[in-house]
Amino acid sequence: MLGNETQIRNLMIEAQSGDMIAARRLLDILSGPLERFFHNRLFGTGSDAEDLAQETLLAIYTHRAKYDPSRSLNSWCYAVARHKLIDHLRRSSRTPNERLDEEADPLAHHRVEDAVMRWDLNRVLSRLPTRQRSVLHDVRVLGFTIAEAAERHGTTETAAKVMIHRSMKTLRSQMEPIIAAI
């Protein structure tokens, strides 16, 4: 968690109404956990983790008006952080010598395959009960931690782990005959 949900939500609400002291306190509270979040996912590249944490704090501050106080602020902040991480990973996967032809679409050959894969994934996941599917999708597809997924779905971490385990067991048993036939 980035911080005590009630405390940081109250600070965000105050920041949304123009209280710059509350905004500063909120960003100070979020700074350390966001840096650890990036550090853990970037395998120790400290300067990138610091830069991404700062980018995320800036995005949270800039887009604070978009936050809905009826929703979890921890989840909203982690979503912003995940988007920043994905953008960073996309940028860093391109080498400086790679040139993108402005007229050619570099992803054109992937679109059909990606769509088919998403359709297959959705079809397979649709075999699960809704709540199990949602928790599994959040953790295994979207990259939420178990704690984040549990909070998003109003359950405990233990229950979320059980749901994921049961979901995987169900999917494995349903897919084995199909895989064996191939």
Side-chain angles (χ1 to χ4, degrees):
M1 279 182 78
L2 293 172
N4 175 298
E5 180 69 34
T6 305
Q7 178 191 18
I8 63 173
R9 182 182 293 144
N10 289 340
L11 288 171
M12 176 60 97
I13 292 168
E14 292 171 21
Q16 285 178 319
S17 64
D19 185 341
M20 292 302 107
I21 294 171
R24 181 67 197 163
R25 282 187 54 217
L26 173 66
L27 297 177
D28 286 342
I29 290 170
L30 298 178
S31 179
L34 282 171
E35 197 169 314
R36 284 188 299 278
F37 170 84
F38 290 115
H39 187 74
N40 291 338
R41 282 152 181 83
L42 294 173
F43 306 108
T45 53
S47 62
D48 285 344
E50 292 171 20
D51 291 346
L52 285 170
Q54 291 303 314
E55 282 182 42
T56 303
L57 291 171
L58 180 61
I60 289 169
Y61 177 76
T62 304
H63 300 290
R64 68 188 179 279
K66 294 180 180 181
Y67 168 68
D68 176 2
S70 68
R71 312 266 316 194
S72 165
L73 182 59
N74 273 301
S75 297
W76 185 77
C77 291
Y78 274 125
V80 172
R82 271 189 302 283
H83 288 291
K84 292 295 179 186
L85 179 62
I86 289 167
D87 290 345
H88 170 76
L89 294 173
R90 284 182 181 147
R91 282 191 310 265
S92 63
S93 69
R94 195 175 303 135
T95 64
N97 295 331
E98 277 185 86
R99 194 173 81 79
L100 292 178
D101 186 9
E102 286 142 4
E103 294 183 36
D105 184 352
L107 300 177
H109 66 285
H110 290 292
R111 286 196 176 129
V112 172
E113 292 84 359
D114 290 346
V116 169
M117 190 165 43
R118 275 194 306 277
W119 183 80
D120 285 342
L121 178 63
N122 289 333
R123 197 173 86 198
V124 167
L125 292 178
S126 71
R127 298 170 180 225
L128 298 171
T130 304
R131 194 162 185 205
Q132 282 183 356
R133 177 176 56 240
S134 298
V135 172
L136 180 69
H137 187 266
D138 283 359
V139 173
R140 296 292 173 97
V141 177
L142 298 179
F144 284 94
T145 65
I146 291 174
E148 293 167 335
E151 183 179 335
R152 284 176 49 108
H153 296 284
T155 189
T156 65
E157 285 184 52
T158 303
K161 286 178 186 178
V162 169
M163 281 187 238
I164 291 168
H165 175 75
R166 288 181 179 162
S167 298
M168 294 303 293
K169 186 176 179 180
T170 300
L171 291 174
R172 197 173 300 116
S173 68
Q174 290 178 357
M175 294 296 114
E176 281 177 353
I178 296 169
I179 293 170
I182 298 174

